[in-house]
Amino acid sequence: MPKSKRDRPVTLSKTKKKGREHKESIVNGIREAVEKFSSVYVFSFENMRNIKFKEFRQQFRHNGRFFLGSNKVMQVALGRSASDEIRPGIFKASKLLHGDAGLLVTDMPKAEVESLFNAYEDSDFSRTGSTAVETVELKEGPLEQFTHEMEPFLRKQGMPVRLNKGTVELLSDFVVCEEGKPLSPESSRILRLLGIKLATFRLNLVCRWSPNDFELYREGLDLSDVETS
């Protein structure tokens, strides 16, 4: 019998080398972009949606580059202190790369960048494990938005339902999700069936670096938070 390809051993040395090369590629890509373009922005994101982000990136395809990945790798690329920064003062931006964050390196005018980020948000269905931003409750009675074929599936999601003359009927009030609590797989499916989008994909500017100045966008931050090397 032919030996399965999945059974072939993979040496750790090859895996580690590939990982190192990938990190070096990101570091080099960021440093090349900083040399090419005039401004560096750190941004944070909420409820990332890859397809939507790809659409947003298209607006910068001729005059900028985005970088997402390990914050530590991006920090190394920019320099983590005044002693190893690649451009004067850029380590301040590096210090703000934490959590769900990314880099934009661009020549686009500042006002245009700010306008695009501030105007952008997109609603989507919440995923399993995400925190509900509001409580959704269904009241006892007919659920006319569902066809009779949906009744068995709704029961499997934990909903107290039955068929009443061909109409799906909720036998008692039912809480789909509670504000501040993580969504279960069943809650996520029910919200999707109801067409309720509780997740909002947002991109928020954190700071901007250029050879001439450094600017903070996020409230609660102070220059003293990033100026110490």
Side-chain angles (χ1 to χ4, degrees):
M1 179 182 290
K3 195 171 183 179
S4 171
K5 291 183 179 180
R6 287 178 292 182
D7 294 332
R8 292 178 181 173
V10 177
T11 60
L12 290 176
S13 59
K14 289 184 178 179
T15 306
K16 290 179 180 178
K17 182 179 179 182
K18 185 176 180 181
R20 185 172 66 249
E21 289 175 349
H22 177 65
K23 291 177 182 178
E24 290 174 353
S25 174
I26 293 174
V27 168
N28 292 334
I30 291 173
R31 290 177 174 175
E32 289 170 5
V34 171
E35 290 298 319
K36 180 178 180 180
F37 300 110
S38 59
S39 297
V40 176
Y41 294 82
V42 174
F43 64 91
S44 63
F45 54 86
E46 305 169 44
N47 300 303
M48 171 60 78
R49 297 296 186 263
N50 290 334
I51 294 176
K52 299 296 183 181
F53 183 58
K54 186 176 181 180
E55 293 172 358
F56 181 79
R57 288 170 56 177
Q58 287 300 305
Q59 299 171 98
F60 297 84
R61 63 187 182 278
H62 298 305
N63 56 359
R65 286 192 65 185
F66 280 88
F67 297 91
L68 290 177
S70 165
N71 289 334
K72 288 185 178 180
V73 173
M74 292 189 287
Q75 288 172 340
V76 168
L78 297 179
R80 305 178 76 170
S81 68
S83 62
D84 63 0
E85 62 184 3
I86 60 172
R87 298 287 297 277
I90 204 169
F91 83 94
K92 298 174 189 176
S94 177
K95 277 179 167 278
L96 295 173
L97 279 165
H98 49 75
D100 294 328
L103 287 174
L104 165 64
V105 191
T106 183
D107 276 338
M108 185 178 286
K110 171 190 165 186
E112 194 171 344
V113 173
E114 293 171 351
S115 177
L116 288 172
F117 272 81
N118 292 337
Y120 186 81
E121 66 175 44
D122 193 272
S123 297
D124 200 358
F125 295 108
S126 296
R127 294 171 175 170
T128 298
S130 62
T131 302
V133 296
E134 64 180 74
T135 297
V136 176
E137 183 177 6
L138 298 176
K139 296 299 183 181
E140 175 186 349
L143 299 174
E144 296 179 353
Q145 63 267 55
F146 299 121
T147 62
H148 68 276
E149 293 96 340
M150 294 294 297
E151 189 265 346
F153 179 78
L154 296 174
R155 272 193 287 110
K156 287 183 179 180
Q157 308 314 308
M159 294 178 65
V161 294
R162 70 175 181 183
L163 280 178
N164 185 0
K165 298 179 181 179
T167 298
V168 178
E169 183 179 43
L170 191 61
L171 301 178
S172 61
D173 294 351
F174 179 76
V175 176
V176 179
C177 62
E178 291 186 60
E179 182 179 354
K181 293 187 177 181
L183 289 178
S184 66
E186 294 79 13
S187 296
S188 181
R189 293 186 198 108
I190 294 169
L191 289 172
R192 185 176 287 271
L193 289 173
L194 292 168
I196 298 176
K197 298 180 177 181
L198 297 183
T200 303
F201 171 37
R202 292 189 182 93
L203 298 165
N204 307 300
L205 289 172
V206 176
C207 70
R208 179 183 67 87
W209 171 91
S210 74
N212 301 316
D213 64 347
F214 180 78
E215 181 176 2
L216 291 170
Y217 292 101
R218 181 183 289 170
E219 292 184 9
L221 286 177
D222 188 86
L223 281 174
S224 61
D225 297 328
V226 295
E227 284 182 338
T228 303
S229 61

